[in-house]
């Protein structure tokens, strides 16, 4: 029999949500201090990680990892706290520097971080009580991805050109990170998300991680989750629809297009706006399968989610060299259900959704009648949109589909021009 549930949100990792943004009253003095420090230039992805750290997505981490944190993360996928408990941490959050940078830092305990071009090359943060240690790229890549095959997007674009040293320390961010791209209103911090869930009187928060447009198979998972939670006795489960907003590979749909498409899904009523919060998760994407999906789940704990939806091959991709999936498509959900430090998070594994031609809509795949199901991959979806071919009725809401068609039309026009 259904019973009422507690409305208190799940506790953040470490017990308190980290906030590394300097209070407004202290910013002038902190900026003056930073001017006197050795300065290091950072890139776009480094800034995304500063954003992640500053808002507490990686709580209780208080800055770029020092060596002890890096080794725990790389070898154990968790951090051990001073009280002996562990919190999940599966991806290294590190800042690389070159030999010349290392010389420039010298014996200084503190450094200032200079933002990339769209931040006017200004100081965006400082690292204090720094520690510099060797960046063994091969070990990092092998342990994070389980392969050193050429063609891994994050590896090729971020790690290969990176310096041979890592610098860790306590991060202080001089001002909240903003991108001024028209999407900052969706970049909602964990603390503000928690306030929104409390305002809506949510007694359960369930998160869905995605980096692709929302089709009706995704909506099936999300709507079914809410139904399951209501059956479990929750009165007001709220969905955190949480697309990834940082680095993605070149052929993924850009963030602005995805956000417009997600908004259409809500407008068309495929998902209920009253029980859905649409926000951007600022993390870069690694495509590291079962290792990365732990990070995606852990970060949502800090935002207040106590349920996490996981389907087929989370955070996976095709092997960059061979014609196969890089990871076993079931390993992500299996790992999440037993990962150290994620015990307080309820994992909701789902079967694969595909287009059921017998009823002309997305449904859960049934092996006993496999011939009735059509799998529309991301590649196939992009092909439909590029060629102005409509997908089968019931695959995606018309408003959302039109957003994708317009995007590919503009892309082809720009390529032709």
């Amino acid at each position: 029999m259904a019973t009422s549930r507690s409305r208190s949100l799940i506790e953040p990792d470490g017990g308190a949500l980290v906030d590394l943004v300097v209070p407004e009253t202290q910013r002038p003095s902190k900026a003056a201090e930073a001017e006197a420090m050795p300065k290091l230039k950072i890139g776009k992805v480094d800034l995304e990680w500063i954003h992640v750290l500053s808002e507490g997505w990686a709580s209780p981490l208080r800055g770029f990892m020092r060596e002890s944190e890096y080794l725990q993360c790389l070898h154990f996928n968790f951090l051990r706290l001073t009280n002996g408990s562990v919190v999940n941490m599966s991806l290294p959050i590190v800042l690389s520097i070159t030999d010349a940078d290392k010389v420039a830092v010298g014996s200084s305990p503190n450094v200032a971080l200079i933002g990339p071009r769209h931040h006017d090359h200004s100081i965006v943060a400082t690292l204090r009580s720094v520690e510099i240690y060797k960046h063994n790229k091969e070990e990092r890549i092998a342990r994070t991805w389980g392969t050193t095959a050429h063609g891994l997007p994050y590896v090729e674009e971020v790690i290969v050109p990176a310096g041979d040293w890592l610098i860790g320390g306590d991060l202080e961010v001089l001002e909240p990170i903003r991108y001024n791209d028209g999407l900052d209103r969706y970049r909602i911090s964990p603390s503000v998300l928690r306030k929104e869930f409390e305002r809506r009187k949510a007694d359960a928060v369930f998160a869905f991680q995605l980096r692709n447009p929302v089709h009706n198979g995704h909506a099936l998972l999300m709507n079914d989750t809410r139904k399951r939670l209501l059956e479990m006795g929750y009165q007001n489960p709220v969905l955190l629809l949480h697309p990834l907003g940082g680095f993605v590979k070149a052929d993924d749909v850009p963030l602005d297009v995805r956000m417009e498409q997600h908004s259409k899904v809500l407008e068309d009523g495929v998902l209920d706006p009253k029980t859905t919060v649409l926000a951007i998760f600022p993390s870069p994407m690694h495509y590291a399968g079962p290792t990365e999906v732990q990070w995606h789940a852990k970060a949502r704990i800090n935002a207040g989610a106590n349920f996490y939806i996981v389907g087929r091959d989370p955070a996976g991709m095709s092997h960059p060299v061979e014609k196969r999936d890089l990871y076993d498509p079931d390993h992500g959900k299996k790992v999440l259900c037993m990962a150290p430090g994620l015990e307080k998070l309820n994992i909701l594994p789902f079967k694969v959704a595909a287009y059921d031609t017998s009823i002309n809509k997305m449904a859960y795949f049934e092996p006993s009648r496999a011939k009735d199901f059509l799998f529309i991959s991301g590649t196939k979806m992009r092909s439909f949109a590029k060629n102005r071919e409509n997908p089968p009725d019931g695959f995606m809401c018309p408003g959302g589909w039109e957003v994708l068609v317009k995007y590919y039309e503009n892309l082809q026009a720009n390529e032709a021009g």
Side-chain angles (χ1 to χ4, degrees):
M1 184 176 176
T3 57
S4 61
R5 301 280 182 159
S6 169
R7 278 186 180 164
S8 59
L9 296 179
I10 190 172
E11 186 179 79
D13 277 345
L17 197 61
V18 166
D19 179 358
L20 304 179
V21 179
V22 173
E24 195 166 355
T25 56
Q26 298 177 24
R27 287 174 194 169
S29 62
K30 292 288 187 179
E33 287 178 29
E35 288 291 349
M37 297 176 188
K39 296 174 180 61
L40 299 175
K41 292 182 180 179
I42 61 169
K44 181 176 180 291
V45 174
D46 298 325
L47 185 70
E48 291 171 0
W49 282 123
I50 288 175
H51 186 177
V52 165
L53 290 165
S54 70
E55 293 184 341
W57 296 102
S59 290
L61 200 61
R62 301 195 62 85
F64 286 107
M65 290 177 174
R66 296 182 175 90
E67 189 175 39
S68 64
E69 295 164 325
Y70 174 70
L71 292 175
Q72 288 180 71
C73 167
L74 205 61
H75 291 268
F76 310 137
N77 284 359
F78 65 74
L79 300 178
R80 189 172 296 282
L81 306 184
T82 54
N83 64 4
S85 65
V86 302
V87 296
N88 193 272
M89 185 61 71
S90 63
L91 288 186
I93 301 181
V94 291
L95 180 63
S96 68
I97 61 173
T98 64
D99 290 348
D101 291 332
K102 185 173 181 289
V103 171
V105 172
S107 60
S108 175
N110 308 316
V111 298
L113 304 179
I114 307 294
R117 185 176 305 151
H118 69 282
H119 270 68
D120 300 323
H121 299 296
S122 59
I123 297 175
V124 297
T126 60
L127 270 185
R128 294 175 182 268
S129 303
V130 300
E131 177 184 340
I132 296 175
Y133 54 101
K134 194 68 179 172
H135 187 191
N136 185 335
K137 297 181 186 180
E138 184 178 23
E139 180 187 30
R140 178 184 174 189
I141 294 164
R143 287 195 169 274
T144 303
W145 281 269
T147 180
T148 53
H150 293 292
L152 298 167
Y154 192 92
V155 170
E156 299 297 334
E157 296 191 43
V158 179
I159 298 180
V160 170
D164 292 330
W165 302 93
L166 298 175
I167 183 168
D170 298 328
L171 186 68
E172 290 186 348
V173 182
L174 298 184
E175 292 186 356
I177 302 299
R178 298 286 182 264
Y179 299 82
N180 301 314
D181 58 357
L183 299 176
D184 282 332
R185 69 186 185 278
Y186 290 111
R187 294 186 176 94
I188 308 173
S189 70
S191 63
V192 175
L193 282 171
R194 284 174 169 269
K195 290 174 184 174
E196 177 62 17
F197 298 141
E198 289 172 352
R199 187 189 70 80
R200 295 192 186 206
K201 297 181 170 58
D203 57 355
V205 177
F206 58 106
F208 191 66
Q209 149 79 30
L210 70 168
R211 66 174 195 273
N212 291 309
V214 174
H215 57 61
N216 289 349
H218 297 135
L220 175 66
L221 300 184
M222 291 182 268
N223 288 325
D224 266 14
T225 298
R226 189 165 198 277
K227 181 181 176 183
R228 284 170 63 178
L229 292 174
L230 289 169
E231 290 170 351
M232 290 167 61
Y234 292 97
Q235 300 299 307
N236 188 30
V238 171
L239 165 65
L240 173 58
L241 180 60
H242 214 202
L244 182 136
F247 168 88
V248 291
K249 55 190 174 69
D251 63 348
D252 277 356
V253 177
L255 178 61
D256 60 338
V257 179
R258 284 186 279 131
M259 292 305 294
E260 184 182 359
Q261 194 269 347
H262 298 350
S263 296
K264 291 293 184 183
V265 168
L266 290 168
E267 285 178 24
D268 287 3
V270 177
L271 297 172
D272 185 355
K274 293 180 182 177
T275 58
T276 303
V277 175
L278 174 60
I280 292 171
F281 177 43
S283 176
M285 186 77 192
H286 279 54
Y287 307 90
T291 297
E292 183 169 23
V293 74
Q294 296 174 67
W295 159 242
H296 292 165
K298 174 250 168 45
R300 274 43 179 253
I301 290 174
N302 287 326
N306 54 334
F307 288 88
Y308 185 82
I309 303 172
V310 58
R312 180 189 182 279
D313 198 22
M317 61 174 278
S318 298
H319 193 284
V321 178
E322 303 170 15
K323 290 186 177 180
R324 61 177 177 86
D325 286 336
L326 183 54
Y327 306 105
D328 184 301
D330 291 325
H331 281 183
K333 65 180 74 171
K334 290 178 179 179
V335 164
L336 278 186
C337 289
M338 54 187 176
L342 294 182
E343 294 87 356
K344 63 184 177 182
L345 183 66
N346 300 283
I347 305 301
L348 297 171
F350 274 91
K351 295 186 294 184
V352 177
Y355 188 79
D356 188 340
T357 58
S358 70
I359 57 174
N360 294 327
K361 66 179 185 179
M362 299 297 286
Y364 294 122
F365 176 67
E366 298 178 27
S368 62
R369 54 185 189 92
K371 60 180 176 56
D372 292 335
F373 287 87
L374 177 64
F375 284 90
I376 302 175
S377 66
T379 302
K380 183 68 173 175
M381 183 179 69
R382 288 190 289 271
S383 175
F384 279 143
K386 287 177 182 176
N387 298 322
R388 286 201 68 87
E389 295 178 45
N390 288 324
D393 287 343
F395 173 71
M396 184 182 292
C397 68
W401 182 250
E402 189 59 31
V403 171
L404 295 185
V405 170
K406 287 181 179 178
Y407 163 67
Y408 283 110
E409 278 183 346
N410 292 337
L411 191 65
Q412 288 176 322
N414 290 337
E415 289 172 350

